């Protein structure tokens, strides 16, 4: 699909309903006018197009799938293991923690750690462990006058406590959870159980202490996950932060991102929507073409003409006075 730059861009999502489960119905409603791949001017081939958009109408999101959890190991051996309550709110494996440590080193080595304004995490044990391990501080030391992001051995991790010192805010958001229902590994604990384990994570957006979203007999449909994901991306425009890390799940990422990139080169489409590996990080730009974040202002734009003076451009003068040459 080729769309004019000045038009409202709607991804090709005819198979995705514009509604989400009623549990999320109180979240802001808006048109799905978010862009993960710039579309082409009307006279250009999408595969070769270069386009422009105001910087302050965009955000950079750094998407991370959680590290290896115990459910990943058991589910690959036997798919029926996903039905086992032994995997309830699955925690990371020792190998998963190694993956976290390696990504932690990477985000510091490449400078990303200093750019992050906000870390959003799905409120499940494996995603919160990944989020604080990757984007959190170093080992927590008693006497530091800030709460730890994670206490020692949280979720049977055998991991040292993690400091929140000099870290961005962390917030847990239900909208970016994995498929809801049936699989116990995707059921969360109560928020009151999580708070002592992750003292510096903000759980205020979770409206219910218990997990009322997960049901034992109904599995959320793929198109419902996709619609919830688009709702989540629209919700990001209610936040002022520009560089946002999001730690979430394979199914959520795949079904959300598959709605985008249909007017891009096939290689870019693949970069957007290919399944994530455990603890994989991909950085993407989202653009607000529908003025969802209508209060967005530029930190770098400058109005000019200070002090005021005559500044009629020569090409405009030529248009206004065509016979003066």
């Amino acid at each position: 699909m080729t769309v004019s730059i000045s038009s409202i861009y709607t991804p090709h999502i005819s198979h995705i309903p514009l509604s989400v489960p009623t549990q999320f119905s109180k979240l802001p409603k808006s048109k799905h006018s978010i862009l993960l791949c710039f579309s082409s001017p009307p006279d250009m081939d999408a595969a070769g197009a270069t386009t422009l958009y105001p910087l302050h109408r965009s955000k950079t999101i750094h998407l991370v799938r959680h590290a290896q959890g115990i459910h990943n190991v058991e589910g690959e051996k036997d798919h029926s293991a996903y039905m086992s309550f032994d995997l309830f709110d699955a925690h990371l494996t020792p190998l998963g923690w190694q993956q976290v440590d390696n990504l932690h080193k990477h985000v510091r080595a490449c400078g990303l750690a200093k750019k992050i304004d906000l870390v959003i995490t799905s409120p499940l044990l494996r995603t919160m462990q990944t989020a604080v391990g990757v984007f959190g501080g170093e080992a927590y030391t008693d006497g530091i006058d800030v709460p730890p992001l994670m206490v020692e051995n949280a979720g049977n991790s055998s991991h040292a406590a993690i400091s929140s010192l000099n870290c961005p805010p962390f917030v847990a958001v239900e909208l970016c959870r994995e498929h809801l229902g049936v699989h116990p590994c995707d059921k969360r604990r109560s928020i009151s159980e999580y708070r002592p384990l992750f003292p510096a994570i903000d759980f205020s957006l979770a409206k219910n202490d218990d997990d009322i979203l997960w049901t034992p007999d109904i599995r959320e449909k793929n198109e419902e996950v996709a619609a919830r994901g688009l709702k989540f991306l629209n919700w990001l425009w209610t936040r002022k932060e520009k560089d946002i890390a999001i730690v979430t799940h394979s199914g959520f990422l795949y079904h959300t991102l598959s709605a985008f990139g249909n007017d891009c080169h096939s290689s870019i489409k693949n970069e957007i929507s290919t399944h994530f590996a455990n603890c994989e990080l991909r950085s993407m730009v989202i653009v607000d073409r529908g003025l969802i974040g209508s209060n967005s202002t530029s930190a770098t734009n400058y109005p000019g003409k200070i002090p005021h003076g005559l500044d009629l451009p020569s090409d405009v003068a030529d248009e206004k006075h065509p016979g003066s040459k």
Side-chain angles (χ1 to χ4, degrees):
M1 179 173 64
T2 302
V3 184
S4 168
I5 291 224
S6 61
S7 67
I8 297 296
Y9 177 86
T10 304
H12 179 64
I13 51 171
S14 59
H15 64 293
I16 299 175
L18 297 184
S19 61
V20 293
T22 55
Q23 300 94 325
F24 298 117
S25 61
K26 293 184 180 180
L27 288 154
K29 293 181 180 179
S30 57
K31 294 179 180 179
H32 296 302
S33 48
I34 293 175
L35 184 66
L36 270 82
C37 178
F38 288 116
S39 56
S40 309
D43 59 344
M44 294 183 70
D45 182 353
T50 297
T51 61
L52 296 174
Y53 208 77
L55 179 62
H56 68 282
R57 300 293 182 189
S58 68
K59 294 180 186 287
T60 303
I61 56 174
H62 308 279
L63 303 171
V64 179
R65 180 191 173 193
H66 63 79
Q68 186 192 69
I70 57 171
H71 65 305
N72 297 133
V73 176
E74 297 306 317
E76 188 158 334
K77 294 177 183 175
D78 178 6
H79 187 266
S80 66
Y82 284 116
M83 303 298 293
S84 172
F85 266 90
D86 291 340
L87 302 179
F88 165 64
D89 193 16
H91 59 80
L92 298 186
T93 65
L95 186 140
W97 277 107
Q98 292 177 34
Q99 294 171 340
V100 167
D101 291 342
N102 286 332
L103 184 52
H104 176 88
K105 294 173 184 175
H106 169 75
V107 298
R108 275 150 182 75
C110 72
L112 177 58
K114 294 181 179 179
K115 298 178 182 178
I116 299 295
D117 301 317
L118 175 70
V119 179
I120 294 173
T121 178
S122 162
L124 273 80
L125 191 55
R126 59 189 181 272
T127 42
M128 291 189 291
Q129 288 177 327
T130 301
V132 301
V134 170
F135 298 106
E138 305 303 328
Y140 182 79
T141 303
D142 288 337
I144 296 177
D145 193 23
V146 292
L149 279 165
M150 186 183 83
V151 300
E152 183 178 4
N153 196 37
N156 300 314
S157 63
S158 300
H159 197 282
I162 296 173
S163 174
S164 64
L165 188 65
N166 299 322
C167 293
F170 283 66
V171 60
V173 177
E174 298 262 34
L175 268 178
C176 62
R177 285 177 59 174
E178 184 58 290
H179 273 89
L180 299 168
V182 180
H183 294 173
C185 60
D186 299 326
K187 178 175 172 59
R188 69 162 171 81
R189 301 166 198 268
S190 67
I191 299 300
S192 57
E193 289 180 81
Y194 284 144
R195 281 198 170 103
L197 299 178
F198 301 94
I201 293 182
D202 179 1
F203 292 98
S204 63
L205 295 179
K207 301 305 181 185
N208 298 94
D209 187 51
D210 292 328
D211 187 1
I212 66 169
L213 301 176
W214 186 93
T215 55
D217 53 350
I218 299 175
R219 183 75 168 165
E220 192 176 19
K221 296 177 181 177
N222 292 342
E223 57 268 27
E224 291 172 332
V225 177
R228 175 161 57 85
L230 293 176
K231 196 80 170 179
F232 171 76
L233 291 177
N234 281 337
W235 172 80
L236 290 179
W237 296 109
T238 69
R239 305 289 311 196
K240 66 181 187 298
E241 296 88 358
K242 290 292 188 179
D243 272 86
I244 303 175
I246 300 162
V247 183
T248 179
H249 306 265
S250 175
F252 175 83
L253 287 166
Y254 178 75
H255 294 295
T256 299
L257 298 179
S258 290
F260 295 95
N262 294 300
D263 64 340
C264 296
H265 190 282
S266 59
S267 296
I268 296 176
K269 171 67 174 177
N270 289 337
E271 284 183 38
I272 292 172
S273 58
T274 301
H275 278 98
F276 278 61
N278 281 132
C279 223
E280 181 179 353
L281 163 68
R282 293 182 208 165
S283 296
M284 301 187 190
V285 174
I286 59 172
V287 170
D288 176 14
R289 301 194 69 170
L291 293 186
I292 301 170
S294 58
N295 294 324
S296 177
T297 58
S298 172
T300 57
N301 286 3
Y302 184 74
K305 213 169 184 177
I306 302 174
H308 187 277
L310 299 177
D311 66 349
L312 183 67
S314 60
D315 56 335
V316 176
D318 291 343
E319 293 172 6
K320 292 180 70 174
H321 307 285
S324 62
K325 292 183 179 180

